[in-house]
Amino acid sequence: MSLSVLNSSPGVVVRAAIIGAGPTGLYLSIVLARRGHSVVLIDRDPGPPAGVPVTGWARKGVMQFHHPHGFRQQVLESMREDMPEVWDALYRAGAEAVMRPDGADIVVGFNCRRSMFEKVLREAAVAEPGVEFVLAHADEVVTAAGRAAGVRAGSLLVPAGLVIDASGRAGQLGRGLRAPAENHDCGLAYVSRQYELLPGAEDGPVNSPVGMVLTCEGYLAIVFKQDNRTFSVLVARSAGDRALARMRHPEVFEAGLRAIPALAAWTDPARSRPVTPALPGGRLYNRYQGQFAEDGSVPIPGLIFAGDAVCTTNPTAGRGVSTSLLQARELARLIGEHPGDPESATGEFAAWCDAWIKPWFADHVYWDDDLARRWAGGEIDLTRPLPSDLVVAATEADPSLFRVVGPYLQMKALPGTLAAVQPQVRDLYASGWRPTPADAPSRDELAALLAAHGTAHDTAHDGDGHFVDSPA
Ligand SMILES: Cc1cc2nc3c(=O)[nH]c(=O)nc-3n(C[C@H](O)[C@H](O)[C@H](O)COP(=O)(O)OP(=O)(O)OC[C@H]3O[C@@H](n4cnc5c(N)ncnc54)[C@H](O)[C@@H]3O)c2cc1C
């Protein structure tokens, strides 16, 4: 096969090729370019179509793209420090900073659609001198003398001394090169839908920085406030729960929401209107895959993995973009610290991810298994450490726990710090105390109610970002 070579003109040195223009790749490209690197960003997605709302950006291959995202303090702080004008642009595009609920003048995150966040970040990367976009599917990392020498994308060769795989949770390219991932099924599935407040209508009820969070008996229901008077409603259920899975049908979804008072208030046709179909989600998992091959070596010197390609966690805690941008920042720092020595950067980055990112993965593995057991009817197990969700829930009865739980909730302290309050929390549950259930039907009540709603067809998307009509 004959390959055409990108930027092969004399004097132009392509130093970093990034595979994947999701949050990780976009962010890294801007930061690396600002540190003097020239960057080629390779993605198969053409970007947002001109002249249509962001809901019209199909974003094939990124299943979660139109599902709700909560954006944490870490994302906001990173942008403010590294690229304040991009935060300003996001703010002008409608993102709303969220303050701490106790009235303290502290920002805890921002409300925005993932699609709007990515559109603005992408526009910044496109405008960044030193960042070049290539619209292509990356097929392989090319090596020369045993080191990464670039990326082949079809018949195009992108030469680069450093290759960063930021191909996300669905990226396949670098999987087989590394020791197998630790893979754990969350046991959960999403259905969500986006809405827009009608002119003059006010927000519905809120109880959390993201909007309204309801921990129900056997499922989760959340309203995420977003930019430009839009919001998303999410129902997360057991992956095997076929009765609640029927909420992928819009009429069944709406029937379910009408039975949950807080969600009914938000989605009352006098307050808001849906702007997407009900969106089913694909399989959710916790996944961690480090940098090294099974024998402990760097598989290809000069190839480094980052973002969801390293760590994916249960999205209900909204940590993924934070762990991705934290990685991007640390990786950029290490690349700067080890000029011309990407192997050292890889080793230090691997150790940093094991210390600072992997604990979030382990936290969810433990929590998710226990939640699945409880959703299946199991009691709280006091014979072993309580999972994080139960420790957090205990703050309802004992607000003094916030001193330890607060920093964990903000991802300012690792999950291991919750160990300090385990005895206190165990005593609380042992006394018979239980969290106050949300004002919502139980899973069994909701399932019975949904069973009464027949449906003619699915108006949904195909799990790959495309909105389609299909027979039920
Ligand atoms: C249902 C769901 C809900 C979520 N909710 C939240 C939330 O509330 N808050 C939060 O912080 N996080 C959330 N997350 C996590 C968040 O979406 C991810 O952490 C984030 O997308 C990771 O960004 P990334 O750039 O690493 O990967 P991705 O966003 O997956 O981007 C990868 C990019 O690589 C491209 N690509 C892949 N392979 C190739 C190839 N061979 N050639 C060219 N291009 C390629 C893809 O097209 C894509 O553009 C959620 C995740 C899911 C699944």
Side-chain angles (χ1 to χ4, degrees):
M1 184 200 317
S2 76
L3 294 178
S4 55
V5 179
L6 187 77
N7 276 351
S8 57
S9 53
V12 179
V13 183
V14 175
R15 297 170 76 183
I18 301 178
I19 302 165
T24 307
L26 291 168
Y27 198 92
L28 250 178
S29 72
I30 297 171
V31 173
L32 288 179
R34 290 183 182 186
R35 293 178 180 207
H37 300 268
S38 58
V39 181
V40 177
L41 198 44
I42 306 164
D43 202 296
R44 54 199 175 199
D45 189 278
V52 298
V54 283
T55 41
W57 186 4
R59 207 64 177 92
K60 191 170 164 17
V62 184
M63 174 278 282
Q64 69 268 36
F65 192 65
H66 290 291
H67 283 298
H69 277 58
F71 292 93
R72 290 171 166 274
Q73 196 173 1
Q74 284 76 5
V75 181
L76 182 57
E77 284 170 353
S78 301
M79 293 174 90
R80 276 184 168 166
E81 282 172 33
D82 293 336
M83 47 190 82
E85 78 294 350
V86 182
W87 163 250
D88 291 344
L90 193 56
Y91 180 76
R92 283 195 304 277
E96 286 178 10
V98 184
M99 310 308 286
R100 214 165 75 179
D102 61 7
D105 189 23
I106 296 174
V107 180
V108 294
F110 60 92
N111 293 330
C112 189
R113 281 170 291 184
R114 154 75 186 258
S115 49
M116 184 61 80
F117 169 72
E118 204 172 299
K119 177 175 183 280
V120 170
L121 195 56
R122 188 182 171 105
E123 284 166 356
V126 167
E128 185 68 33
V131 177
E132 187 177 353
F133 273 73
V134 169
L135 174 60
H137 177 92
D139 294 306
E140 67 170 334
V141 177
V142 177
T143 57
R147 309 185 67 80
V151 176
R152 186 180 65 76
S155 59
L156 183 71
L157 177 64
V158 180
L162 174 68
V163 176
I164 296 167
D165 180 339
S167 61
R169 69 196 284 279
Q172 294 297 328
L173 195 130
R175 287 213 176 171
L177 296 171
R178 296 175 280 169
E182 292 175 57
N183 217 349
H184 173 265
D185 198 324
C186 298
L188 282 185
Y190 267 31
V191 186
S192 74
R193 190 173 202 185
Q194 293 189 22
Y195 300 78
E196 185 178 67
L197 288 167
L198 298 177
E202 295 194 348
D203 283 351
V206 295
N207 68 356
S208 130
V210 297
M212 172 58 73
V213 178
L214 299 170
T215 305
C216 310
E217 209 182 301
Y219 66 101
L220 270 177
I222 307 179
V223 176
F224 287 79
K225 291 175 58 176
Q226 302 170 152
D227 55 279
N228 294 295
R229 294 174 59 75
T230 67
F231 65 93
S232 274
V233 180
L234 163 71
V235 174
R237 58 174 165 84
S238 288
D241 189 333
R242 295 176 67 87
L244 266 51
R246 292 186 61 252
M247 291 183 83
R248 69 185 183 278
H249 305 292
E251 58 272 39
V252 183
F253 189 75
E254 296 299 326
L257 302 199
R258 282 195 294 277
I260 304 171
L263 305 193
W266 274 93
T267 56
D268 183 337
R271 187 192 297 273
S272 62
R273 68 177 186 97
V275 292
T276 69
L279 307 172
R283 183 178 157 232
L284 297 175
Y285 46 83
N286 300 300
R287 186 172 176 282
Y288 188 82
Q289 190 170 22
Q291 303 288 333
F292 300 123
E294 245 167 319
D295 64 1
S297 65
V298 173
I300 301 178
L303 167 65
I304 308 181
F305 302 88
D308 266 25
V310 171
C311 184
T312 305
T313 50
N314 181 330
T316 54
R319 292 171 176 159
V321 178
S322 294
T323 53
S324 292
L325 296 200
L326 291 175
Q327 286 182 58
R329 299 185 90 195
E330 180 63 10
L331 180 54
R333 192 187 71 74
L334 289 169
I335 289 168
E337 207 167 82
H338 299 283
D341 181 11
E343 259 174 294
S344 294
T346 306
E348 287 190 30
F349 185 56
W352 181 89
C353 287
D354 283 351
W356 297 103
I357 300 297
K358 194 173 182 185
W360 299 108
F361 158 82
D363 186 42
H364 255 301
V365 169
Y366 192 72
W367 163 1
D368 292 353
D369 279 346
D370 197 73
L371 185 64
R373 190 184 59 72
R374 281 178 278 135
W375 277 7
E379 244 305 323
I380 292 176
D381 184 351
L382 296 171
T383 65
R384 55 194 188 124
L386 292 157
S388 308
D389 66 319
L390 291 177
V391 177
V392 171
T395 56
E396 179 195 340
D398 183 355
S400 76
L401 292 167
F402 263 116
R403 139 193 124 261
V404 171
V405 171
Y408 160 81
L409 279 175
Q410 294 161 23
M411 287 181 74
K412 298 280 182 192
L414 289 174
T417 56
L418 295 183
V421 293
Q422 280 280 344
Q424 198 177 334
V425 175
R426 190 175 309 115
D427 286 350
L428 182 66
Y429 284 104
S431 74
W433 178 86
R434 294 293 179 267
T436 310
D439 178 18
S442 69
R443 179 264 158 209
D444 290 350
E445 290 163 345
L446 186 61
L449 185 146
L450 298 180
H453 286 269
T455 178
H457 66 286
D458 260 338
T459 312
H461 80 17
D462 59 6
D464 227 2
H466 297 289
F467 299 144
V468 294
D469 279 350
S470 62

